[in-house]
Amino acid sequence: MIKILPVIYREGGFATQPFAFGGEEGPAAFDATVRYRSGLQNYLIDTGKEVILVDTGLPAGTPEESPDETTPIYTGHDVMSYMDALAALGYAPNQVSKILLTHKHVDHSGELASFPDAEVYVNEHELDAAELQGLANLVPVTFTDGPYKNFPESQEVANGVWFIRAEGHTKGNAIVIVEDAEEGLFYLIHGDVTYVDEALYANKLSVVFEDLGKARETMDRVREFVSANPAVYLSTHTPQGPENLAAKRVVDLANPPETIPVGEVTFKTRTGKYVCGVCGYVYDPAVGDETQGVVPGTPFEELPDDWRCPRCKQPKSKFNPA
């Protein structure tokens, strides 16, 4: 019997409606006072024959953000590290045979180096990502198995486990669909097709994408798939993912989920470091950024207005204080 488990390592965060919904109309079209619950988890698939991870969380030691009223997304406070969360489920790194990478961002790829014996399946279009350099166990996926349902390109990586090209959020984005034949369910594990389930139901794209046209195509295909198949929707950035999994809650686009209010947010003393809310890159003033000529000792506030995240090229406005 196939088993899917969430590897939960942050909770208690939030994403604002402009961030989660504003990809096409623009953030100004939405209400910045509306917040949805956020957190961080990735997923484990135990087929009974092998253990497969979908993404590998943030690297240990990544500082938490310190949000304020203007923060667009706050991933929450640490529950434990990703590797400790994996151990808490009863699994060790040497049990993992495959890792299916939805995309390059560090909250999905951060602990890949901790699994040197696993095969890391990655969309061929993501191979040049800075986050993946130096890894000897990458398996480029060219999606040789043809269409899967309404998705044009797929590859079956284990019995009933499908890796599917779903680009837009990044140029090498992918999703994973797990078939549970016993219960007649499909588990759709995505990276960041949406950040909150409300965006899936409202048919809205987030502000984070590398190709808006392809992001729209992917959203349309996901919505078509969940309309035609009994699908449980498993997200990375919202506790709705583990909740859907625990309840085996099938998507019903005609009946959006009730939005549960965001709980109290804890504000912490700031360190001077800033974290990219998109890819997790940490700007440390003590180190600076030699790639853009920023000398050590430069506070984030003094970075040039045209400075960009060295990893994902997002502007300063996408960074949160840590």
Side-chain angles (χ1 to χ4, degrees), residues 124 142-156 162-167 173 175 177 214 216-222 224-225:
E124 59 183 331
T142 56
F143 304 96
T144 56
D145 289 337
Y148 177 82
K149 305 291 187 180
N150 63 306
F151 294 99
E153 297 179 83
S154 70
Q155 186 161 323
E156 190 173 20
W162 295 83
F163 195 58
I164 293 168
R165 197 192 296 274
E167 295 165 358
N173 211 75
I175 62 175
I177 295 179
K214 287 187 179 297
R216 169 44 60 192
E217 289 178 11
T218 290
M219 173 69 93
D220 290 346
R221 288 180 179 133
V222 167
E224 181 182 357
F225 179 85

Side-chain angles (χ1 to χ4, degrees), residues 49-64:
K49 295 181 178 179
E50 61 180 329
V51 176
I52 301 171
L53 299 181
V54 181
D55 298 338
T56 62
L58 284 168
T62 301
E64 299 176 15

